[in-house]
Amino acid sequence: MISPPEKSVSNWTHCLEWLQESSALIVATYAVAAAVIISVVMETGFALRELDSFETVVVLILFIPAGFLLVFSLFELVSYFVFIPSITKDSHLFSRVHSTHLIHPLTTAIVLILAGVCVLTGSERAWIVWGILLALYLLQTGFILKSVRAENMTNGWTRQANLILLLNLLVGGELVTITGGARPLSPWKLDTLPENTWIIDVRTKPEFYWNRLQAAENYPWGVGVAEAAKSRPKDVPVLVTCLSGHRSPSVALMVRRLGFKTVYNLNWGILYLILLERGRKSTGPFSLTRPHRDPHRRGEDLKGITLGYVTCAILALIVAPIEAAFWPPDISVAQQIAGALIGIGGLVLGLLSFKDLGRNFRVFGAPRRSGTLVTSGIYTYIRHPMYIGVIMGIGGYVLAFGSLLAAPLWAGVLIFYVVKAVKEERLLMDKFPEYQEYRKHTWKFVPFIY
């Protein structure tokens, strides 16, 4: 039996794990960033004030690196989603692995730029909101560091590795690699390397034996590379690889400092190469030992739907108060109370659903590999109570503000959730044979109606 303090700690741990695994923190960060701009506009009208010498220097220190990082991170995002060879049906997996690391440098730039905006306008409200933004940003950075270390930590973890990983997150792995003297290499350009290239794989041993390049040598987190480098001529090209391209930059820079003239870091890692080479027959040092390995599918077909309802929900939350500030609606107290009650009801329903799901909760529709079918609690009667909770929460919020502009956005949330529920049930029936019987005794959304 779990004592109350232990249960409280367990619930808190589950909450932190959910924050770490979901996109909620990223969404909240960008929502607060938008709130900083709204605060500036409402308090100052974005009017700039005169700056003294110190403030001018501060603004330049913030804007110059932030502007460069903004351009670089946006270019990397565009390159990632537009110019790389299509991975079609596997894009959900690739994006899931890389999305946080790709977005974080852009977030860094936005945090710095908004700090500069606060200095330029002198908005006190905006500074308060920016403080919340900074707290979310630091929390998100800490979660990513913890996640990478928990998954990949070996005895090769050093203070230097910590620092380079942090730089990878803040300014992007490619930028760190380039500034350190190494070269990013796209997976489809492997055949441009000479056959005598020294291939260093920095993944853990189980990852390495699961699938790897034919000629690769395993040095988890770079342990043993310095010793092995003593017997290698420094003019031999070196290629450093890992699973997704987030561990290898630090080792690539270390190899560069060991005196090797040409060092490459494999962009996006072995994962993308597996997707790119699936079904192909290839030989040689740069071919995969197991080309038919199929990475675990996550959130199939639901990535676009998830982005759709998250975007509509965020815009509704932002648009409603802006509309009320500039075009105050004529709404009754009864309407405001009704909206508040509906919104609170949705929040309570969502919390109950989250509690019943426990470790089975996921942002994407595909169930966890180790997940179980939840049919107790609120799920005894409704199959998608959390979706109803969000729909009620946003709907009550829009109703309380009396926002006409946010109403279509709420309708978008409703439509996206209905479509997601239909697709999600197909995935659940594939994983849980008993789901078909469960459907016969429950309602999808509203009891006795639908």
Side-chain angles (χ1 to χ4, degrees):
M1 182 175 179
I2 300 177
S3 63
E6 291 175 340
K7 188 173 182 180
S8 176
V9 171
S10 177
N11 290 338
W12 176 246
T13 302
H14 287 164
C15 182
L16 290 178
E17 288 176 351
W18 173 79
L19 269 179
Q20 185 172 325
E21 293 180 8
S22 74
S23 301
L25 199 56
I26 298 176
V27 172
T29 300
Y30 279 82
V32 174
V36 173
I37 298 175
I38 293 171
S39 300
V40 169
V41 172
M42 294 183 68
E43 184 177 356
T44 69
F46 228 104
L48 305 183
R49 63 189 183 88
E50 278 193 41
L51 304 179
D52 57 32
S53 300
F54 175 75
E55 290 172 329
T56 302
V57 172
V58 170
V59 169
L60 290 175
I61 291 174
L62 291 170
F63 276 178
I64 292 175
F68 175 75
L69 183 56
L70 180 67
V71 172
F72 190 91
S73 58
L74 285 175
F75 176 78
E76 188 176 17
L77 278 170
V78 171
S79 299
Y80 182 94
F81 288 109
V82 178
F83 296 113
I84 64 174
S86 173
I87 52 179
T88 57
K89 62 182 181 180
D90 295 300
S91 61
H92 63 278
L93 173 65
F94 197 45
S95 300
R96 172 68 174 166
V97 174
H98 291 268
S99 59
T100 303
H101 297 76
L102 279 171
I103 293 173
H104 209 63
L106 179 63
T107 309
T108 305
I110 290 174
V111 170
L112 293 176
I113 289 172
L114 291 179
V117 169
C118 290
V119 174
L120 283 172
T121 59
S123 171
E124 294 181 1
R125 294 179 190 173
W127 271 119
I128 294 172
V129 181
W130 183 87
I132 299 172
L133 172 65
L134 180 63
L136 290 172
Y137 170 75
L138 293 176
L139 181 62
Q140 186 181 348
T141 303
F143 275 151
I144 301 172
L145 285 170
K146 179 183 176 183
S147 176
V148 173
R149 292 186 62 174
E151 289 181 10
N152 310 304
M153 188 166 173
T154 68
N155 58 0
W157 194 273
T158 63
R159 182 181 298 179
Q160 185 181 47
N162 258 320
L163 177 60
I164 294 178
L165 175 60
L166 182 60
L167 287 174
N168 287 344
L169 295 176
L170 299 185
V171 302
E174 285 193 25
L175 189 57
V176 172
T177 303
I178 293 170
T179 55
R183 306 178 186 180
L185 182 75
S186 301
W188 55 90
K189 292 184 178 179
L190 278 175
D191 57 359
T192 63
L193 297 178
E195 290 194 0
N196 67 335
T197 299
W198 182 22
I199 305 175
I200 298 173
D201 193 313
V202 302
R203 294 175 295 159
T204 60
K205 291 190 180 299
E207 289 178 293
F208 180 73
Y209 290 118
W210 177 75
N211 207 349
R212 60 191 182 277
L213 295 177
Q214 296 282 0
E217 299 177 11
N218 189 213
Y219 302 95
W221 271 107
V223 176
V225 167
E227 186 64 29
K230 295 177 181 177
S231 60
R232 303 270 180 170
K234 298 302 184 284
D235 58 347
V236 170
V238 181
L239 174 67
V240 185
T241 71
C242 66
L243 179 63
S244 57
H246 300 130
R247 285 172 272 177
S248 51
S250 59
V251 179
L253 300 190
M254 180 181 74
V255 173
R256 185 74 176 84
R257 285 192 293 272
L258 289 173
F260 287 84
K261 297 178 181 178
T262 308
V263 180
Y264 297 94
N265 175 60
L266 184 64
N267 273 2
W268 312 312
I270 296 294
L271 174 63
Y272 182 67
L273 190 63
I274 292 171
L275 300 176
L276 191 67
E277 295 294 320
R278 182 181 298 161
R280 297 182 184 181
K281 293 183 178 179
S282 57
T283 58
F286 305 108
S287 61
L288 293 166
T289 56
R290 299 179 181 182
H292 299 292
R293 284 280 185 174
D294 190 6
H296 178 64
R297 309 183 69 80
R298 293 190 179 186
E300 184 175 10
D301 295 328
L302 302 183
K303 176 192 169 189
I305 296 173
T306 302
L307 290 175
Y309 69 70
V310 168
T311 301
C312 287
I314 292 174
L315 289 176
L317 294 175
I318 294 173
V319 167
I322 292 178
E323 181 182 353
F326 287 94
W327 304 283
D330 184 16
I331 56 176
S332 65
V333 175
Q335 180 178 334
Q336 292 177 327
I337 294 175
L341 290 176
I342 293 172
I344 293 171
L347 179 62
V348 171
L349 185 59
L351 291 174
L352 289 174
S353 306
F354 178 70
K355 180 183 177 182
D356 290 337
L357 283 175
R359 291 282 295 171
N360 292 287
F361 174 80
R362 293 195 73 236
V363 174
F364 293 99
R368 292 181 181 275
R369 282 172 286 184
S370 59
T372 57
L373 180 62
V374 178
T375 59
S376 59
I378 193 70
Y379 286 87
T380 305
Y381 312 100
I382 310 173
R383 298 197 295 276
H384 303 282
M386 186 170 288
Y387 296 173
I388 287 294
V390 176
I391 292 169
M392 288 176 59
I394 301 296
Y397 180 87
V398 172
L399 181 64
F401 275 99
S403 174
L404 296 177
L405 296 178
L409 296 170
W410 172 81
V413 173
L414 173 63
I415 292 169
F416 276 119
Y417 267 125
V418 171
V419 174
K420 184 181 180 183
V422 172
K423 289 181 173 289
E424 181 180 305
E425 292 200 353
R426 295 173 188 167
L427 297 174
L428 291 170
M429 282 190 286
D430 288 341
K431 183 172 178 62
F432 304 109
E434 65 271 29
Y435 192 80
Q436 183 64 42
E437 184 65 24
Y438 168 66
R439 292 181 65 195
K440 296 177 181 178
H441 306 288
T442 54
W443 299 91
K444 181 175 287 186
F445 284 123
V446 184
F448 308 107
I449 296 178
Y450 178 61

